[in-house]
Amino acid sequence: MKTRAITGFIFVGVMLASLLFGGYVFTLFVLAISILAVVEFYHLIGSTAIKPQKWGGILLVISIYLPLYQYLFKNEPLQNLLFCVPIVIALIISELYRKHLNPFHNIAYTLFGVIYAAVPFCFFYALAFIDGTFNMHYPLGFLLLLWASDTGAYLFGSRFAKHQLFERHSPKKSWEGFFGGMFISALLAAGISFYFNELSCIHWLVISFIVVITGTFGDLSESMLKRSLSVKDSGSLLPGHGGVLDRFDGLLLAAPLVFVYLHFVHIF
């Protein structure tokens, strides 16, 4: 428990520092986390029968982030994302020479690893620029609501749990914990609206509901992945917490939908 608490404290501190030090530091931090998540995914599903192309996947992640950075900071066109096309083609061609048992499995897992473990962080990164310039309030608010949901689910679940939420994939999760997380997250959303007043209270409340619902499904999806592979944690990078995917499982589904919601809020 002590190790978990220390790791959690350091983790939260690093996350907050990446936002407080501005857009460039935040860019490097999110890129690093994305690469670590993809590598962790490849290590998790790798076996004698499946050999994802780790370096190809990392190159693909970078080829996504560089155009995104240029677009958000310099308003350059996103057409530079077209560089992803030759990289994907190169991944397919290179599998001809690797001589592994399941070449198309390797290609599929290489590409899916980027989609599952890196692309959601692109949406989280873009939250900071939803107004056109760097604003830490959106990603920070998102993280606070996600953490509040997890904390509420744990506190209410450990105290009142009677009805399992999804026994097949996560026996410890309960409906009581789910609604407890929703309650705590909604309270925090109301408080956030007084300080991060770019959005009204109703919008922060909607975001909190999106975060709780999709964050829970993100957690369940990652549990489904680990159970299908018969592993307890996705990695060991964060002592007491597991791996990067364990720590950010809720973000993987929640961040893209929150970005979509905010995008339409700003349009209309």
Side-chain angles (χ1 to χ4, degrees), residues 4 7 40 222 226 232-247:
R4 180 180 176 85
T7 302
E40 186 174 274
E222 202 245 352
K226 291 187 293 185
K232 182 178 182 294
D233 296 320
S234 64
S236 57
L237 183 66
L238 303 171
H241 291 267
V244 174
L245 294 176
D246 291 321
R247 188 64 272 172

Side-chain angles (χ1 to χ4, degrees), residues 82-140:
L82 291 174
F83 284 109
C84 295
V85 175
I87 294 174
V88 172
I89 292 173
L91 288 173
I92 296 172
I93 294 174
S94 64
E95 201 62 44
L96 292 168
Y97 299 92
R98 295 183 75 212
K99 299 179 181 179
H100 289 303
L101 292 175
N102 300 296
F104 271 93
H105 288 70
N106 297 338
I107 295 168
Y109 278 114
T110 299
L111 297 178
F112 180 72
V114 173
I115 294 170
Y116 176 72
V119 170
F121 286 101
C122 293
F123 287 98
F124 172 66
Y125 173 56
L127 285 177
F129 300 87
I130 201 79
D131 285 335
T133 57
F134 178 76
N135 184 347
M136 61 174 276
H137 289 176
Y138 295 112
L140 179 56

Side-chain angles (χ1 to χ4, degrees), residues 14 23 35 166 174 179 181 187 190 207 233 249:
V14 172
I35 292 174
F166 215 116
S174 66
F179 287 114
L187 283 180
I207 290 172
D233 296 320
D249 50 8

Side-chain angles (χ1 to χ4, degrees), residues 4-259:
R4 180 180 176 85
I6 293 173
T7 302
F9 180 79
I10 295 173
F11 169 78
V12 170
V14 172
M15 287 288 297
L16 294 178
S18 72
L19 287 165
L20 292 171
F21 281 107
Y24 293 106
V25 174
F26 185 59
T27 299
L28 292 174
F29 175 77
V30 177
L31 174 59
I33 289 292
S34 300
I35 292 174
L36 288 173
V38 168
V39 171
E40 186 174 274
F41 176 84
Y42 292 157
H43 182 266
L44 189 63
I45 57 93
S47 66
T48 55
I50 300 173
K51 300 288 185 182
Q53 298 185 41
K54 182 178 73 173
W55 292 108
I58 291 174
L59 183 60
L60 187 56
V61 172
I62 294 173
S63 72
I64 293 172
Y65 268 92
L66 284 179
L68 189 57
Y69 157 78
Q70 292 171 326
Y71 171 73
L72 294 175
F73 274 91
K74 303 177 181 179
N75 203 30
E76 295 183 5
L78 278 173
Q79 66 184 21
N80 290 332
L81 278 173
L82 291 174
F83 284 109
C84 295
V85 175
I87 294 174
V88 172
I89 292 173
L91 288 173
I92 296 172
I93 294 174
S94 64
E95 201 62 44
L96 292 168
Y97 299 92
R98 295 183 75 212
K99 299 179 181 179
H100 289 303
L101 292 175
N102 300 296
F104 271 93
H105 288 70
N106 297 338
I107 295 168
Y109 278 114
T110 299
L111 297 178
F112 180 72
V114 173
I115 294 170
Y116 176 72
V119 170
F121 286 101
C122 293
F123 287 98
F124 172 66
Y125 173 56
L127 285 177
F129 300 87
I130 201 79
D131 285 335
T133 57
F134 178 76
N135 184 347
M136 61 174 276
H137 289 176
Y138 295 112
L140 179 56
F142 172 87
L143 288 175
L144 292 174
L145 293 174
L146 189 62
W147 294 338
S149 173
D150 290 342
T151 302
Y154 173 76
L155 293 176
F156 279 77
S158 60
R159 179 67 179 85
F160 303 108
K162 291 183 179 179
H163 304 88
Q164 290 179 316
L165 179 64
F166 215 116
E167 182 180 3
R168 184 157 51 111
H169 294 304
S170 189
K172 293 182 179 181
K173 288 193 177 300
S174 66
W175 280 105
E176 291 79 7
F178 173 78
F179 287 114
M182 183 171 289
F183 174 69
I184 297 298
S185 187
L187 283 180
L188 183 60
I192 286 175
S193 67
F194 287 102
Y195 297 96
F196 299 169
N197 50 24
E198 295 88 350
L199 295 173
S200 67
C201 182
I202 187 64
H203 286 308
W204 279 114
L205 286 171
V206 172
I207 290 172
S208 75
F209 291 141
I210 295 173
V211 166
V212 173
I213 294 170
T214 55
T216 300
F217 277 112
D219 191 338
L220 289 169
S221 299
E222 202 245 352
S223 295
M224 178 174 64
L225 171 65
K226 291 187 293 185
R227 281 184 171 271
S228 67
L229 299 170
S230 301
V231 297
K232 182 178 182 294
D233 296 320
S234 64
S236 57
L237 183 66
L238 303 171
H241 291 267
V244 174
L245 294 176
D246 291 321
R247 188 64 272 172
F248 287 103
D249 50 8
L251 178 148
L252 299 178
L253 298 188
L257 280 181
V258 169
F259 177 84

